[in-house]
Amino acid sequence: MTTSVNSVITAIEQRRPDQTGTRLRLLLFFAQGHYLAGTGSPLFAEPMYATPDGVHVDDSPDETPEDLDNRQLGYIGYALSRYADLRDADLLSLVQISTAWQLARNAADDSRIEWSWLNDWFRRPVERQAKPTEAEAADFAARRKARTGG
């Protein structure tokens, strides 16, 4: 089931209310990419465009967000757990090294990121690791310990 970008933004803001507009758009890139690679369908219907600052997605602030299903929320949660703690510069770098972003930026007439490009990028083995690496697991544990105080 494809939803609206406003629904995804709402889900991100509920889990990570401290995100700026730029960070939200960068996180949308990762959520959309992982969802496409995992399900074969887009998470949200609105097109995404490659910009010098990362990505742009048109949203409709007056549109009422719809409820997301557990699968959609799971992919959003995965993207947040993997990327939301990175610095803005690191998020931007990860977006800009993607083939999907580069193809869109180099297109002569349109900077739209095609879903097939995003799907191909996120289906690479490095993006589809079933388990976190030891370093990722240690980092996650350290962050959780710091947040909970023990």
Side-chain angles (χ1 to χ4, degrees):
M1 174 178 89
T2 302
T3 187
S4 72
V5 72
N6 287 352
S7 299
V8 177
I9 289 170
T10 298
I12 292 171
E13 289 176 331
Q14 288 172 342
R15 285 155 184 76
R16 294 292 184 112
D18 57 335
Q19 305 306 304
T20 64
T22 298
R23 286 183 66 79
L24 274 172
R25 288 187 294 279
L26 293 170
L27 292 169
L28 287 171
F29 176 89
F30 295 108
Q32 182 75 297
H34 283 290
Y35 193 83
L36 274 166
T39 68
S41 300
L43 178 59
F44 53 86
E46 294 82 356
M48 187 179 297
Y49 298 92
T51 68
D53 297 337
V55 295
H56 174 78
V57 181
D58 290 328
D59 63 341
S60 302
D62 297 333
E63 182 180 300
T64 303
E66 42 204 275
D67 291 333
L68 302 179
D69 63 33
N70 286 337
R71 187 178 202 188
Q72 292 166 320
L73 292 171
Y75 275 95
I76 293 167
Y78 172 75
L80 291 176
S81 70
R82 188 162 179 183
Y83 302 102
D85 289 331
L86 295 176
R87 297 177 323 163
D88 290 0
D90 294 332
L91 283 175
L92 180 59
S93 293
L94 288 173
V95 168
Q96 291 178 336
I97 64 167
S98 75
T99 304
W101 185 88
Q102 291 177 21
L103 287 168
R105 285 295 294 162
N106 293 327
D109 57 342
D110 189 10
S111 64
R112 182 179 177 155
I113 298 172
E114 297 295 331
W115 293 154
S116 61
W117 301 339
L118 205 54
N119 181 48
D120 289 347
W121 181 257
F122 282 92
R123 288 188 62 89
R124 296 172 309 126
V126 71
E127 290 296 336
R128 302 205 26 114
Q129 289 178 331
K131 297 180 182 178
T133 65
E134 282 187 39
E136 288 173 326
D139 180 58
F140 176 77
R143 284 185 282 124
R144 184 179 60 191
K145 186 176 179 180
R147 274 188 275 219
T148 61

